[in-house]
mmCIF file of all heavy atoms in Angstrom:
data_model
loop_
_atom_site.group_PDB
_atom_site.id
_atom_site.type_symbol
_atom_site.label_atom_id
_atom_site.label_comp_id
_atom_site.label_asym_id
_atom_site.label_seq_id
_atom_site.Cartn_x
_atom_site.Cartn_y
_atom_site.Cartn_z
ATOM 1 N N LEU N 79 3.596 9.012 -31.098
ATOM 2 C CA LEU N 79 3.930 8.227 -29.915
ATOM 3 C C LEU N 79 2.791 8.135 -28.909
ATOM 4 O O LEU N 79 2.796 7.246 -28.056
ATOM 5 C CB LEU N 79 5.169 8.815 -29.235
ATOM 6 C CG LEU N 79 6.490 8.594 -29.972
ATOM 7 C CD1 LEU N 79 7.611 9.390 -29.334
ATOM 8 C CD2 LEU N 79 6.859 7.111 -29.989
ATOM 9 N N PHE N 80 1.820 9.028 -28.993
ATOM 10 C CA PHE N 80 0.710 8.967 -28.049
ATOM 11 C C PHE N 80 -0.470 8.161 -28.583
ATOM 12 O O PHE N 80 -1.449 7.948 -27.863
ATOM 13 C CB PHE N 80 0.253 10.386 -27.683
ATOM 14 C CG PHE N 80 1.320 11.181 -27.004
ATOM 15 C CD1 PHE N 80 1.974 12.203 -27.677
ATOM 16 C CD2 PHE N 80 1.704 10.891 -25.706
ATOM 17 C CE1 PHE N 80 2.971 12.934 -27.061
ATOM 18 C CE2 PHE N 80 2.717 11.614 -25.085
ATOM 19 C CZ PHE N 80 3.349 12.635 -25.759
ATOM 20 N N GLY N 81 -0.364 7.702 -29.816
ATOM 21 C CA GLY N 81 -1.457 6.921 -30.403
ATOM 22 C C GLY N 81 -1.102 5.477 -30.662
ATOM 23 O O GLY N 81 -1.704 4.824 -31.517
ATOM 24 N N LEU N 82 -0.132 4.944 -29.910
ATOM 25 C CA LEU N 82 0.386 3.607 -30.197
ATOM 26 C C LEU N 82 -0.691 2.537 -30.199
ATOM 27 O O LEU N 82 -0.683 1.634 -31.044
ATOM 28 C CB LEU N 82 1.476 3.237 -29.178
ATOM 29 C CG LEU N 82 2.731 4.113 -29.180
ATOM 30 C CD1 LEU N 82 3.681 3.675 -28.064
ATOM 31 C CD2 LEU N 82 3.447 4.048 -30.528
ATOM 32 N N LEU N 83 -1.632 2.598 -29.251
ATOM 33 C CA LEU N 83 -2.635 1.536 -29.185
ATOM 34 C C LEU N 83 -4.048 2.017 -29.541
ATOM 35 O O LEU N 83 -5.035 1.342 -29.271
ATOM 36 C CB LEU N 83 -2.624 0.857 -27.803
ATOM 37 C CG LEU N 83 -2.742 1.660 -26.524
ATOM 38 C CD1 LEU N 83 -4.066 2.354 -26.341
ATOM 39 C CD2 LEU N 83 -2.456 0.756 -25.336
ATOM 40 N N ILE N 84 -4.129 3.193 -30.162
ATOM 41 C CA ILE N 84 -5.424 3.704 -30.618
ATOM 42 C C ILE N 84 -5.665 3.269 -32.055
ATOM 43 O O ILE N 84 -4.759 3.276 -32.889
ATOM 44 C CB ILE N 84 -5.474 5.243 -30.501
ATOM 45 C CG1 ILE N 84 -5.384 5.642 -29.023
ATOM 46 C CG2 ILE N 84 -6.752 5.800 -31.126
ATOM 47 C CD1 ILE N 84 -5.334 7.137 -28.790
ATOM 48 N N GLU N 85 -6.895 2.876 -32.346
ATOM 49 C CA GLU N 85 -7.231 2.352 -33.672
ATOM 50 C C GLU N 85 -7.032 3.399 -34.762
ATOM 51 O O GLU N 85 -7.129 4.602 -34.525
ATOM 52 C CB GLU N 85 -8.677 1.859 -33.684
ATOM 53 C CG GLU N 85 -8.926 0.676 -32.766
ATOM 54 C CD GLU N 85 -10.378 0.238 -32.774
ATOM 55 O OE1 GLU N 85 -10.990 0.260 -33.871
ATOM 56 O OE2 GLU N 85 -10.911 -0.120 -31.716
ATOM 57 N N GLU N 86 -6.785 2.907 -35.970
ATOM 58 C CA GLU N 86 -6.550 3.795 -37.104
ATOM 59 C C GLU N 86 -7.739 4.711 -37.385
ATOM 60 O O GLU N 86 -7.565 5.845 -37.812
ATOM 61 C CB GLU N 86 -6.233 2.975 -38.354
ATOM 62 C CG GLU N 86 -4.801 2.485 -38.443
ATOM 63 C CD GLU N 86 -4.497 1.930 -39.818
ATOM 64 O OE1 GLU N 86 -5.191 0.985 -40.255
ATOM 65 O OE2 GLU N 86 -3.562 2.445 -40.476
ATOM 66 N N ARG N 87 -8.954 4.211 -37.150
ATOM 67 C CA ARG N 87 -10.132 5.031 -37.463
ATOM 68 C C ARG N 87 -10.187 6.296 -36.609
ATOM 69 O O ARG N 87 -10.908 7.238 -36.935
ATOM 70 C CB ARG N 87 -11.421 4.215 -37.295
ATOM 71 C CG ARG N 87 -11.748 3.766 -35.887
ATOM 72 C CD ARG N 87 -12.898 2.751 -35.896
ATOM 73 N NE ARG N 87 -13.227 2.267 -34.566
ATOM 74 C CZ ARG N 87 -14.318 2.610 -33.883
ATOM 75 N NH1 ARG N 87 -15.188 3.438 -34.429
ATOM 76 N NH2 ARG N 87 -14.557 2.109 -32.686
ATOM 77 N N PHE N 88 -9.427 6.313 -35.525
ATOM 78 C CA PHE N 88 -9.348 7.508 -34.697
ATOM 79 C C PHE N 88 -8.015 8.229 -34.863
ATOM 80 O O PHE N 88 -7.700 9.135 -34.097
ATOM 81 C CB PHE N 88 -9.536 7.132 -33.221
ATOM 82 C CG PHE N 88 -10.865 6.512 -32.906
ATOM 83 C CD1 PHE N 88 -10.939 5.214 -32.426
ATOM 84 C CD2 PHE N 88 -12.051 7.215 -33.101
ATOM 85 C CE1 PHE N 88 -12.157 4.627 -32.129
ATOM 86 C CE2 PHE N 88 -13.280 6.641 -32.812
ATOM 87 C CZ PHE N 88 -13.338 5.338 -32.331
ATOM 88 N N GLY N 89 -7.231 7.811 -35.863
ATOM 89 C CA GLY N 89 -5.952 8.463 -36.121
ATOM 90 C C GLY N 89 -4.778 7.866 -35.394
ATOM 91 O O GLY N 89 -3.689 8.463 -35.377
ATOM 92 N N GLY N 90 -4.945 6.677 -34.791
ATOM 93 C CA GLY N 90 -3.873 6.063 -34.030
ATOM 94 C C GLY N 90 -2.966 5.178 -34.861
ATOM 95 O O GLY N 90 -3.204 4.943 -36.053
ATOM 96 N N GLN N 91 -1.937 4.642 -34.226
ATOM 97 C CA GLN N 91 -0.971 3.764 -34.879
ATOM 98 C C GLN N 91 -1.436 2.311 -34.902
ATOM 99 O O GLN N 91 -1.004 1.541 -35.756
ATOM 100 C CB GLN N 91 0.373 3.832 -34.146
ATOM 101 C CG GLN N 91 0.992 5.220 -34.123
ATOM 102 C CD GLN N 91 1.470 5.663 -35.480
ATOM 103 O OE1 GLN N 91 2.154 4.916 -36.173
ATOM 104 N NE2 GLN N 91 1.099 6.858 -35.888
ATOM 105 N N ALA N 92 -2.278 1.924 -33.935
ATOM 106 C CA ALA N 92 -2.865 0.575 -33.882
ATOM 107 C C ALA N 92 -1.800 -0.519 -33.951
ATOM 108 O O ALA N 92 -1.949 -1.518 -34.652
ATOM 109 C CB ALA N 92 -3.892 0.390 -34.996
ATOM 110 N N MET N 93 -0.736 -0.341 -33.201
ATOM 111 C CA MET N 93 0.383 -1.290 -33.251
ATOM 112 C C MET N 93 0.099 -2.547 -32.448
ATOM 113 O O MET N 93 -0.729 -2.568 -31.541
ATOM 114 C CB MET N 93 1.656 -0.641 -32.702
ATOM 115 C CG MET N 93 2.326 0.343 -33.615
ATOM 116 S SD MET N 93 3.896 0.862 -32.858
ATOM 117 C CE MET N 93 4.347 2.206 -33.945
ATOM 118 N N HIS N 94 0.836 -3.597 -32.773
ATOM 119 C CA HIS N 94 0.829 -4.818 -31.991
ATOM 120 C C HIS N 94 1.611 -4.580 -30.697
ATOM 121 O O HIS N 94 2.492 -3.724 -30.635
ATOM 122 C CB HIS N 94 1.456 -5.961 -32.780
ATOM 123 C CG HIS N 94 0.630 -6.388 -33.961
ATOM 124 N ND1 HIS N 94 0.371 -7.709 -34.246
ATOM 125 C CD2 HIS N 94 -0.001 -5.674 -34.926
ATOM 126 C CE1 HIS N 94 -0.375 -7.792 -35.333
ATOM 127 N NE2 HIS N 94 -0.615 -6.565 -35.759
ATOM 128 N N MET N 95 1.308 -5.361 -29.673
ATOM 129 C CA MET N 95 1.947 -5.163 -28.377
ATOM 130 C C MET N 95 3.459 -5.385 -28.435
ATOM 131 O O MET N 95 4.215 -4.701 -27.751
ATOM 132 C CB MET N 95 1.326 -6.089 -27.337
ATOM 133 C CG MET N 95 -0.024 -5.622 -26.835
ATOM 134 S SD MET N 95 0.078 -4.019 -26.005
ATOM 135 C CE MET N 95 -1.672 -3.647 -25.835
ATOM 136 N N ALA N 96 3.906 -6.325 -29.229
ATOM 137 C CA ALA N 96 5.349 -6.562 -29.338
ATOM 138 C C ALA N 96 6.051 -5.326 -29.885
ATOM 139 O O ALA N 96 7.165 -4.983 -29.451
ATOM 140 C CB ALA N 96 5.620 -7.774 -30.223
ATOM 141 N N ASP N 97 5.417 -4.629 -30.821
ATOM 142 C CA ASP N 97 6.036 -3.439 -31.399
ATOM 143 C C ASP N 97 5.955 -2.250 -30.457
ATOM 144 O O ASP N 97 6.873 -1.431 -30.396
ATOM 145 C CB ASP N 97 5.390 -3.126 -32.746
ATOM 146 C CG ASP N 97 5.706 -4.177 -33.795
ATOM 147 O OD1 ASP N 97 6.869 -4.606 -33.862
ATOM 148 O OD2 ASP N 97 4.789 -4.596 -34.528
ATOM 149 N N ILE N 98 4.859 -2.152 -29.710
ATOM 150 C CA ILE N 98 4.783 -1.114 -28.679
ATOM 151 C C ILE N 98 5.889 -1.324 -27.657
ATOM 152 O O ILE N 98 6.550 -0.371 -27.226
ATOM 153 C CB ILE N 98 3.400 -1.129 -28.003
ATOM 154 C CG1 ILE N 98 2.320 -0.688 -28.997
ATOM 155 C CG2 ILE N 98 3.388 -0.214 -26.777
ATOM 156 C CD1 ILE N 98 0.905 -0.777 -28.462
#
Side-chain angles (χ1 to χ4, degrees):
L79 288 171
F80 298 107
L82 297 177
L83 53 66
I84 295 176
E85 295 178 39
E86 280 191 302
R87 66 191 179 107
F88 298 117
Q91 300 290 312
M93 285 186 190
H94 292 226
M95 283 298 170
D97 292 317
I98 292 175

